[in-house]
């Protein structure tokens, strides 16, 4: 499309960045809800809406069972709110406790929920691997509808309907939906069915009111931001920026110290999502779901403050575990990894004192530090012989497929597993940890080569001197949503380091000079302080952002990587 077709508010810099991500015109760069993929081809969608419509028509009890991460929590709140909007009078919800029930719909959770006597149980963001739990629910005479997005195994559970775009043979093109996105599509289809049957007034309720939840769950779960997900997330962000989000999310924005008017996807990923996730990691996600379902601003603020306190505790636990994990890795191993292409191709870490709710974050941090697939383990509960592991991967290594290959090669070694290309979870007996570690290292070594094990940063090139200004910083901020699969713009260049200081014990505040730029540039490099001063001239990979703290025309560079020239 010629340049004239671009709106005037999209500067040439942003057009270049969009083109590098495969979006060569405005509609592709900024997809709208009007262009959402239709649900055509989703397997079992008619059966799913039939179950729900029948439950609504006969006043049957619906029990929504969520999961203990941000995607599962937002999907649960969305399902409850959406079903009530569509006329359900008896909707309840529940969520497993990580420490008590483990992942998903387990027989133990079903037994605990039995006194609720639901007619229809709906799973959100899980269920595709919950064979035993679904069998237990069916044995009690309950109907079961599974909505999920995780990759299915060779055998599907015996549910009455399974809506999952990643099922083999599913014709829906949007394979990147998060769990909350799948449930949103089910609600859209249910509304269409009720409308066609004449059971709604006019067009029915505006389900767009739920897009704030869709945005938070999608970004927090690191779902790839293809065009369909970008349309959903952008619409949800618009609601949050206009302060039209649910009371719980607006309270979380407030306690996180973010400005609603300039909220971006990164604020969800680094501020809102972690506060929701913290409840499921250290306590009970029921608290997070209560916050998302709360309509009283004062009560929502109280709940958000509790989640914020739990998140601070989570950060302390995580840092302690990370320090222990890094100390456990020998200096020689770290040195080999630093050179790249040497040493083992993967890492397995375990400590009997670690918290199972935080091992995923530790695995993620180690993966970032070492650029290796990492599996971190902790006892499922203190003193238990059962271990829970979280895996995080690097591009070129599909970690869920790796676990499947190990399971096929060593039957019975892994008790259960599931996940995606970049993240997965598993459980195994402590006596088998050494055998698993050997199998994981062997598989990684056979798949990964030296080039894949070398960390790289993809840059959008250099900024021109005139582009270091507030206009371009705001255009980049507002040009998203940026995220997984549609990365936030990253630039590189050489700078003179005119000054520096340590802030917050771990971060570097830099004062930079750039060729052709008259004003000095403020920069922050998070977590960079290792005891050595930065070089006098450095090559940086950085993001350009508005500096809202200083206000006015202020900008700053957020440094992702620094090396001496």
């Amino acid at each position: 499309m010629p340049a004239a077709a671009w709106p005037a508010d999209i500067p040439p810099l942003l057009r270049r960045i969009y083109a590098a991500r495969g979006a060569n015109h405005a509609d592709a760069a900024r997809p709208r809800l009007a262009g959402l993929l239709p649900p055509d081809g989703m397997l079992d969608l008619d059966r799913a809406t039939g179950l729900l419509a029948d439950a609504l028509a006969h006043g049957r009890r619906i029990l929504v069972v969520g999961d203990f991460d941000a995607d599962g929590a937002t999907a649960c709140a969305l399902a409850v709110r959406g079903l009530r909007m569509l006329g359900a009078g008896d909707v309840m919800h529940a969520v497993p406790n990580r420490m008590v029930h483990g992942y998903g719909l387990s027989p133990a959770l079903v037994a605990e929920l039995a006194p609720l006597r639901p007619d229809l149980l709906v799973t959100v963001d899980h269920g595709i691997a919950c064979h035993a739990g679904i069998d237990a629910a069916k044995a009690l005479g309950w109907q079961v509808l599974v909505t999920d997005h995780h990759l299915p195994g060779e055998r599907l559970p015996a549910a009455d309907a399974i809506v999952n775009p990643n099922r083999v043979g599913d014709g829906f093109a949007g394979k990147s939906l998060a769990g909350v996105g799948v449930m949103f599509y089910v609600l859209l289809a249910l509304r269409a069915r009720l409308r066609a049957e004449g059971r709604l007034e006019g067009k029915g309720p505006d389900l767009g009111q739920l897009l704030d939840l869709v945005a938070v769950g999608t970004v927090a779960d690191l779902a790839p931001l293809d065009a369909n997900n970008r349309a959903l997330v952008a619409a949800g962000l618009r609601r949050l920026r206009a302060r039209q989000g649910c009371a719980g999310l607006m309270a979380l924005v407030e306690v996180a110290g973010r400005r609603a008017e300039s909220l971006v996807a990164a604020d969800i990923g680094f501020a809102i999502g972690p506060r929701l996730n913290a409840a499921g990691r250290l306590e009970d996600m029921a608290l997070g779901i209560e916050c998302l379902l709360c309509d009283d601003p004062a009560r929502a603020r109280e709940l958000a403050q509790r989640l914020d306190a739990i998140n601070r505790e989570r950060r302390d636990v995580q840092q302690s575990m990370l320090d222990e994990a890094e100390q456990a890795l020998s200096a020689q191993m770290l040195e080999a990894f630093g050179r790249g292409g040497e040493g083992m191709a993967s890492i397995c870490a375990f400590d009997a004192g670690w918290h199972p709710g935080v091992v995923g974050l530790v695995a993620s941090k180690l993966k970032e530090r070492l650029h290796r697939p990492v599996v971190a383990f902790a006892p499922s509960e203190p003193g238990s012989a059962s271990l829970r592991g979280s895996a995080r991967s690097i591009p070129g290594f599909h970690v869920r497929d790796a676990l499947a290959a190990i399971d096929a090669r060593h039957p019975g070694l892994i008790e259960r597993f599931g996940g995606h290309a970049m993240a997965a979870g598993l459980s195994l007996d402590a006596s088998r940890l050494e055998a698993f570690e050997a199998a994981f290292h062997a598989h990684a070594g056979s798949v990964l080569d030296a080039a894949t094990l070398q960390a790289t940063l993809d840059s959008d090139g250099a900024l021109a001197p005139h582009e270091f200004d507030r206009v371009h910083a705001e255009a980049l901020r507002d040009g998203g949503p940026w995220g997984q699969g549609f990365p936030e713009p990253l630039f590189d260049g050489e700078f003179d380091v005119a000054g520096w200081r340590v802030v917050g014990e771990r971060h570097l505040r830099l004062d930079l000079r750039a060729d052709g730029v008259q004003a000095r540039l403020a920069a922050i490099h998070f977590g960079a302080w290792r005891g050595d001063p930065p070089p006098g001239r450095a090559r940086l990979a950085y993001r350009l952002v508005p500096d809202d703290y200083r206000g006015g025309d202020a900008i700053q560079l957020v440094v992702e990587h620094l090396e001496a020239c």
Side-chain angles (χ1 to χ4, degrees):
M1 182 173 288
W6 288 93
D9 65 337
I10 302 182
L13 171 64
L14 197 51
R15 301 177 196 181
R16 171 170 68 83
I17 288 166
Y18 285 145
R21 288 150 181 76
N24 293 304
H25 54 84
D27 289 341
R30 297 180 173 178
R32 302 179 180 181
L33 288 177
L36 274 185
L37 293 170
D40 302 348
M42 269 192 174
L43 294 176
D44 276 7
L45 190 60
D46 286 343
R47 190 177 301 173
T49 58
L51 289 170
L52 291 167
D54 188 61
L56 267 60
H58 296 91
R60 294 183 176 135
R61 173 167 291 177
I62 302 173
L63 175 61
V64 179
V65 180
D67 188 23
F68 41 61
D69 66 0
D71 186 17
T74 53
C76 183
L78 175 136
V80 172
R81 286 184 176 275
L83 289 170
R84 288 173 178 169
M85 290 169 68
L86 290 167
D90 191 357
V91 182
M92 308 181 76
H93 69 277
V95 62
N97 184 300
R98 184 191 297 265
M99 299 296 293
V100 176
H101 307 106
Y103 171 77
L105 186 71
S106 64
L109 179 59
V110 170
E112 190 172 300
L113 297 176
L116 299 179
R117 301 175 62 86
D119 298 295
L120 172 61
L121 184 148
V122 180
T123 72
V124 289
D125 190 36
H126 72 284
I128 199 68
C130 299
H131 297 267
I134 290 172
D135 288 345
K138 295 293 293 178
L140 292 174
W142 306 348
Q143 294 179 314
V144 178
L145 163 59
V146 168
T147 71
D148 200 353
H149 68 124
H150 294 94
L151 297 174
E154 294 183 2
R155 183 173 62 90
L156 296 177
D160 294 274
I162 301 173
V163 180
N164 182 336
N166 290 302
R167 284 178 59 182
V168 175
D170 190 282
F172 180 67
K175 304 299 183 186
S176 297
L177 286 177
V180 68
V182 174
M183 189 63 216
F184 183 68
Y185 262 86
V186 170
L187 292 174
L188 290 176
L190 176 60
R191 183 181 63 178
R193 183 184 191 118
L194 297 176
R195 184 187 297 158
E197 294 174 355
R199 293 168 53 183
L200 295 176
E201 293 185 9
K203 295 182 178 180
D206 177 15
L207 296 178
Q209 297 176 36
L210 304 172
L211 285 168
D212 55 338
L213 295 166
V214 177
V216 170
T218 300
V219 173
D221 207 49
L222 298 179
L225 294 187
D226 59 10
N228 209 54
N229 276 343
R230 292 207 312 281
L232 293 169
V233 171
L237 282 170
R238 286 194 294 272
R239 292 193 62 83
L240 290 167
R241 287 176 177 173
R243 297 186 177 275
Q244 296 174 342
C246 66
L249 285 180
M250 299 314 303
L252 285 169
V253 171
E254 179 184 337
V255 299
R258 296 308 200 262
R259 295 177 65 248
E261 294 79 7
S262 57
L263 204 71
V264 294
D267 293 316
I268 295 174
F270 292 105
I272 299 173
R275 282 166 173 79
L276 272 178
N277 276 324
R281 294 186 187 281
L282 295 188
E283 292 195 16
D284 187 348
M285 185 49 91
L287 178 65
I289 296 173
E290 182 184 355
C291 182
L292 297 178
L293 288 173
C294 180
D295 291 321
D296 175 54
R299 175 60 178 161
R301 193 173 301 111
E302 291 177 8
L303 294 168
Q305 289 169 346
R306 288 176 60 189
L307 291 170
D308 184 59
I310 296 170
N311 189 54
R312 288 196 297 272
E313 179 186 355
R314 184 273 306 167
R315 285 200 298 262
D316 291 342
V317 171
Q318 173 188 327
Q319 189 59 52
S320 175
M321 290 169 57
L322 184 60
D323 290 344
E324 292 171 359
E326 291 185 335
Q327 290 172 10
L329 298 172
S330 68
Q332 292 83 0
M333 183 182 292
L334 287 173
E335 181 182 356
F337 285 136
R339 291 196 299 269
E342 299 178 29
M344 289 185 295
S346 62
I347 294 293
C348 284
F350 165 73
D351 191 289
W354 284 354
H355 194 292
V358 189
V359 287
L361 299 174
V362 171
S364 181
K365 292 292 184 181
L366 288 175
K367 180 263 298 184
E368 293 170 6
R369 172 89 181 269
L370 304 174
H371 195 68
R372 297 291 192 276
V374 175
V375 188
F377 289 96
S380 58
E381 56 186 45
S384 172
S386 175
L387 302 184
R388 291 184 192 163
S390 283
R392 297 295 183 269
S393 194
I394 60 176
F397 187 81
H398 195 300
V399 70
R400 192 268 179 195
D401 285 356
L403 296 179
I406 293 170
D407 184 57
R409 193 172 296 118
H410 306 279
L413 177 61
I414 304 173
E415 292 177 358
R416 54 187 304 193
F417 68 92
H420 304 290
M422 303 302 288
L426 68 155
S427 61
L428 52 81
D429 190 271
S431 64
R432 302 193 171 193
L433 177 60
E434 187 175 341
F436 172 82
E437 185 174 1
F440 190 69
H441 290 331
H443 182 80
S446 70
V447 172
L448 295 168
D449 56 23
T452 308
L453 293 172
Q454 180 64 52
T456 60
L457 284 173
D458 293 326
S459 170
D460 287 292
L463 286 176
H466 74 276
E467 292 171 336
F468 287 94
D469 63 13
R470 182 83 180 198
V471 171
H472 286 88
E474 290 183 349
L476 292 168
R477 178 194 66 193
D478 299 335
W482 312 105
Q484 193 79 12
F486 202 74
E488 187 171 1
L490 184 73
F491 307 99
D492 72 275
E494 295 184 3
F495 299 83
D496 289 322
V497 181
W500 64 275
R501 60 189 174 91
V502 179
V503 295
E505 298 184 358
R506 294 176 177 269
H507 317 307
L508 281 179
R509 174 69 70 180
L510 304 172
D511 184 16
L512 305 175
R513 292 194 188 99
D515 296 340
V517 181
Q518 291 185 348
R520 289 190 179 186
L521 299 168
I524 184 73
H525 193 182
F526 292 111
W529 178 241
R530 297 284 190 271
D532 297 319
R537 186 165 178 82
R539 184 173 184 82
L540 307 181
Y542 62 91
R543 293 182 284 111
L544 174 67
V545 301
D547 189 343
D548 292 328
Y549 179 78
R550 290 190 294 162
D553 293 331
I555 59 172
Q556 73 171 342
L557 311 187
V558 178
V559 179
E560 298 290 343
H561 177 75
L562 182 153
E563 62 186 31
C565 291

